Amino acid sequence: MDVSNFGSDVKVAVIPAAGFGTRLLPATKVISKELFPIYNRPAIHITVSECVKAGIKEIILVLSRRKMDILRYFEKDNELESFLEEKGKKNLLAPLEIFKDVKIDYVIQEKQNGLGDAVLCAREKVGQRNFAVLLPDDIYILSDGRPTISILIEKFLELRQKGEINPKVVLLLRNVPKEKVKNYGVVYIKKRMGNFLIVGGVVEKPEPELAPSRFAIVGRYVFSPEIFDWIQKEKPDEKGEIQLAGAIGNCSYSDTVVGVSVKGKWLDIGSPEGYVKANMFFAKNKRFLY
């Protein structure tokens, strides 16, 4: 697949990867789930490659101290490279070339305090820039091969340039069967504006009969830096966690939050069943591997 740069003015992405991976235990006791292979690439490779294809130049990984092994994948390995060169197999590392001009940075989330807290950990490194957030558990494949996050970036910039509305958040949404809404953050739809959905609240994992819509949030976001203030204001839930969905919902009451629904293949690799399905998909559709 062509790895040409799609271009953007959102040049930094935050990738939360500090969780214990409890849905994939016991395997995740010693191996970070983000390093589990999807066909022949670690899951984190696919997520970071999506960013690179969208023109993002800086990646901030949010890690825990027990998951520093993720960084090793992106570090230069002189011993391995020398060995492969001697054997005439240097081409085996060709897929890593996509990362050569990208800054891979990280921050530590000291305690598992929720997704909102994980994003907040990157505040100092993001600064006052607009930024993307990608959840590595979610892989979303568009049929034309474009990186999904690039669609959200384009819409974010397009709306701001037109000046009709000034979104603080752009979300990827997917219409899901009614019985599955209890697995996701689900949005209230305030109104429709062409291909855009104006969000007026978020409910985390509602019961089907109480769900405000069937539009679930997929793990792709573009934020203005004001989202950090909303996360900072968010109170811990009953588990003591700061939820990103709650911060987005509260933001939507005062500022503009836009949802974008794009047809594509949604793979949730955070569960054993989803992980197997993702491997089966990529084994049959290698052209989508970056």
Side-chain angles (χ1 to χ4, degrees):
M1 179 178 290
D2 177 25
V3 293
S4 57
N5 192 306
F6 280 76
S8 79
D9 290 324
V10 177
K11 299 296 185 183
V12 59
V14 175
I15 300 178
F20 284 108
T22 52
R23 290 191 293 167
L24 288 168
L25 281 169
T28 48
K29 181 177 182 293
V30 292
I31 303 171
S32 297
K33 66 178 179 179
E34 292 81 7
L35 294 178
F36 284 14
I38 306 296
Y39 192 64
N40 68 339
R41 287 156 171 72
I44 195 69
H45 178 114
I46 296 172
T47 306
V48 176
S49 294
E50 181 182 336
C51 293
V52 177
K53 289 272 286 181
I56 290 170
K57 300 298 184 183
E58 180 180 348
I59 308 294
I60 302 169
L61 301 171
V62 183
L63 306 173
S64 66
R65 297 194 185 279
R66 62 185 286 124
K67 297 184 75 174
M68 300 298 287
D69 55 345
I70 294 173
L71 282 178
R72 287 187 59 198
Y73 182 71
F74 299 101
E75 293 174 347
K76 190 174 180 62
D77 188 331
N78 292 323
E79 183 181 1
L80 176 60
E81 289 184 19
S82 295
F83 172 80
L84 292 175
E85 194 158 4
E86 287 177 13
K87 302 294 183 182
K89 297 181 179 180
K90 192 77 178 288
N91 64 299
L92 294 178
L93 292 180
L96 293 172
E97 287 295 305
I98 193 172
F99 307 127
K100 66 180 180 180
D101 296 321
V102 179
K103 178 183 178 183
I104 307 288
D105 202 351
Y106 75 96
V107 294
I108 297 295
Q109 185 184 25
E110 296 290 351
K111 188 176 179 182
Q112 305 303 297
N113 285 332
L115 180 57
D117 180 71
V119 173
L120 191 60
C121 286
R123 182 173 197 168
E124 184 176 338
K125 290 186 181 288
V126 171
Q128 292 303 306
R129 295 177 288 176
N130 300 320
F131 66 105
V133 170
L134 298 88
L135 306 189
D137 276 0
D138 290 322
I139 298 175
Y140 203 85
I141 305 295
L142 303 182
S143 59
D144 62 5
R146 284 186 296 170
T148 302
I149 196 64
S150 72
I151 304 298
L152 301 190
I153 292 171
E154 288 168 10
K155 299 305 181 186
F156 181 84
L157 298 174
E158 176 188 328
L159 290 169
R160 288 187 157 221
Q161 287 164 3
K162 286 183 177 178
E164 297 174 17
I165 57 176
N166 186 29
K168 296 294 189 291
V169 183
V170 174
L171 308 167
L172 179 61
L173 300 178
R174 176 67 176 263
N175 202 315
V176 299
K178 184 177 180 179
E179 65 273 13
K180 292 189 176 182
V181 294
K182 62 183 178 182
N183 299 320
Y184 306 107
V186 177
V187 300
Y188 288 87
I189 302 301
K190 191 184 299 184
K191 63 178 179 179
R192 294 174 181 263
M193 292 181 59
N195 295 326
F196 303 114
L197 303 169
I198 306 301
V199 174
V202 181
V203 179
E204 185 69 20
K205 298 181 179 179
E207 290 300 318
E209 62 274 12
L210 300 176
S213 74
R214 286 170 46 189
F215 282 102
I217 301 174
V218 186
R220 297 291 181 274
Y221 317 77
V222 176
F223 294 113
S224 69
E226 287 91 341
I227 193 63
F228 290 123
D229 293 329
W230 289 105
I231 298 173
Q232 193 87 55
K233 295 173 186 175
E234 190 68 12
K235 294 180 180 179
D237 63 11
E238 64 278 1
K239 297 179 182 178
E241 297 181 346
I242 303 297
Q243 295 299 340
L244 183 60
I248 293 170
N250 286 327
C251 176
S252 73
Y253 303 141
S254 301
D255 292 308
T256 303
V257 174
V258 172
V260 178
S261 183
V262 184
K263 288 184 179 180
K265 180 71 173 178
W266 185 2
L267 301 167
D268 176 5
I269 63 172
S271 69
E273 298 80 10
Y275 174 71
V276 171
K277 287 179 181 178
N279 271 283
M280 293 173 64
F281 173 82
F282 281 110
K284 296 178 180 178
N285 299 276
K286 300 180 186 67
R287 67 187 184 278
F288 291 117
L289 284 169
Y290 298 146

